[in-house]
Amino acid sequence: MGPHVRGGSSAAARRGRRADPPPLRRGLRAAHRGAVLTTRRFSASVELTATPEQAFTYLVDPRNRPKWQSSLLSVDVPDDEEPHLGQAWSELTAVGVRPHLVVTEFVPYRVWAESGTWRGVRADLRLRFTARGTGCRVQAEGEVSGSGLYAAAALSSGLVAGRAIGADLRKAGRLIAAQHGG
């Protein structure tokens, strides 16, 4: 009956050990393990009367964000630090979340991106600035991801993020216009 195989059958798992394979690496896992990754993409596009230079300069400075970002109460960034690639800061949101953020892309007057993390949630945002007549278009794209207990928070945040960032950018546009006499 078939070839002779050495080694016999597998031994039973020792006490406190499973006979199953080792755990999967971080990321998606089987549903019974409880670690599920949820990702939600969002986007918004707004036309501003400000030039790309004016809009970029204002929007990428974290110190301005509590003025135009509706969900934000404060930022913790040194007063004398100019925006730059790798700049890091933390924020306090209206719901008490304190994410840590870092600038991941910085091309003056063209593209700016950040990545923020808080516990099991990660959010990425990229702003693209395009000249349009005497003003500019700001295209926001991003995604919110959450794992484990934070998957639901990421999903709900991602569902409203597109509308919220659009409204926030329009408010920023009004503030920039007022600042530059427009």
Side-chain angles (χ1 to χ4, degrees), residues 65-66 69-75 91-99 168:
R65 290 181 73 161
Q69 189 174 336
S70 59
S71 64
L72 193 57
L73 296 178
S74 65
V75 296
E91 300 177 341
L92 174 60
T93 68
V95 295
V97 173
R98 293 183 181 271
D168 288 344

Side-chain angles (χ1 to χ4, degrees), residues 35-118:
V36 176
L37 179 66
T38 299
T39 300
R40 180 76 181 181
R41 294 182 186 274
F42 61 88
S43 65
S45 181
V46 297
E47 302 287 330
L48 303 180
T49 58
T51 66
E53 292 82 5
Q54 293 168 336
F56 183 92
T57 302
Y58 185 81
L59 290 171
V60 306
D61 190 338
R63 294 172 294 233
N64 292 330
R65 290 181 73 161
K67 298 172 191 166
W68 62 268
Q69 189 174 336
S70 59
S71 64
L72 193 57
L73 296 178
S74 65
V75 296
D76 184 17
V77 63
D79 289 334
D80 60 346
E81 183 176 83
E82 292 300 315
H84 62 278
L85 184 63
Q87 181 180 23
W89 71 97
S90 59
E91 300 177 341
L92 174 60
T93 68
V95 295
V97 173
R98 293 183 181 271
H100 177 74
L101 296 100
V102 64
V103 175
T104 58
E105 193 172 0
F106 192 96
V107 180
Y109 319 127
R110 308 269 324 236
V111 181
W112 175 88
E114 70 180 10
S115 184
T117 56
W118 176 77

Side-chain angles (χ1 to χ4, degrees), residues 90-182:
S90 59
E91 300 177 341
L92 174 60
T93 68
V95 295
V97 173
R98 293 183 181 271
H100 177 74
L101 296 100
V102 64
V103 175
T104 58
E105 193 172 0
F106 192 96
V107 180
Y109 319 127
R110 308 269 324 236
V111 181
W112 175 88
E114 70 180 10
S115 184
T117 56
W118 176 77
R119 299 194 183 186
V121 177
R122 176 186 172 109
D124 296 301
L125 174 66
R126 173 176 283 118
L127 300 179
R128 295 183 189 279
F129 300 81
T130 308
R132 304 273 298 178
T134 59
C136 73
R137 173 184 293 148
V138 179
Q139 176 69 38
E141 298 172 339
E143 70 178 33
V144 181
S145 301
S147 60
L149 297 173
Y150 299 99
L155 179 61
S156 61
S157 296
L159 288 172
V160 299
R163 286 190 308 260
I165 192 71
D168 288 344
L169 289 172
R170 285 188 289 280
K171 181 177 180 181
R174 292 188 298 274
L175 293 169
I176 297 166
Q179 185 179 20
H180 293 280

